[in-house]
Amino acid sequence: MAKYFKYLILSFFHFLIFSCQEGGDAGDLFGQWRLAGSDTKYISFSGSITWIKSLNENELYGNFQHVGDSLFIQCYSIKGIPVDTALVENSFGFKPFNNIRMKIESLSSDHLLLRKDNQTWLFDKY
């Protein structure tokens, strides 16, 4: 019986590990996206968490929701430093820092096109 219990426990952990790697609520947004024309700016989506990173600057996390053709992002600055706001608002152009709302113009397995007012962002799946 102990032999089968060991396999049952291992199977359970195997299930947990692989189910945690799925995108969850992220759906088609799941994964890492690189801003077109840049080798340093990335955004990732997994579950309901987003990660915004610039290799030259900083990184931060937030929550997101994908509702219809809209993307809502709430960024969080753990340290509360101005560089976090600058990363989101100046480097990426997402505004305002704590209440970003954008329209998803198109979303495929390779490309993500976001629009807000007169500004557009094209991301490629990385």
Side-chain angles (χ1 to χ4, degrees):
M1 183 69 172
K3 178 181 174 183
Y4 295 111
F5 184 72
K6 179 174 83 173
Y7 288 114
L8 180 64
I9 295 295
L10 288 173
S11 297
F12 177 72
F13 283 118
H14 181 78
F15 170 77
L16 284 178
I17 289 169
F18 286 105
S19 62
C20 290
Q21 291 180 357
E22 294 178 8
D25 294 337
D28 293 337
L29 288 172
F30 175 70
Q32 184 166 324
W33 300 84
R34 183 183 66 191
L35 186 62
S38 173
D39 288 332
T40 61
K41 297 177 185 175
Y42 298 88
I43 189 167
S44 298
F45 301 96
S46 181
S48 63
I49 304 294
T50 187
W51 176 54
I52 299 172
K53 178 167 181 59
S54 174
L55 298 178
N56 298 333
E57 295 176 42
N58 205 4
E59 65 184 0
L60 60 93
Y61 294 90
N63 291 336
F64 79 93
Q65 285 186 317
H66 177 192
V67 180
D69 66 351
S70 297
L71 178 62
F72 303 94
I73 300 175
Q74 293 287 333
C75 295
Y76 300 103
S77 175
I78 295 170
K79 298 177 185 175
I81 54 179
V83 121
D84 290 344
T85 304
L87 168 68
V88 174
E89 292 187 352
N90 300 336
S91 186
F92 278 85
F94 299 158
K95 294 179 183 177
F97 173 80
N98 60 354
N99 192 18
I100 302 164
R101 297 172 183 213
M102 294 178 278
K103 181 177 182 189
I104 299 174
E105 288 289 324
S106 66
L107 173 60
S108 70
S109 60
D110 297 326
H111 302 288
L112 168 63
L113 180 63
L114 302 174
R115 180 179 312 274
K116 182 175 183 178
D117 301 326
N118 295 326
Q119 194 168 7
T120 60
W121 299 267
L122 177 62
F123 290 90
D124 300 315
K125 192 74 163 250
Y126 185 73

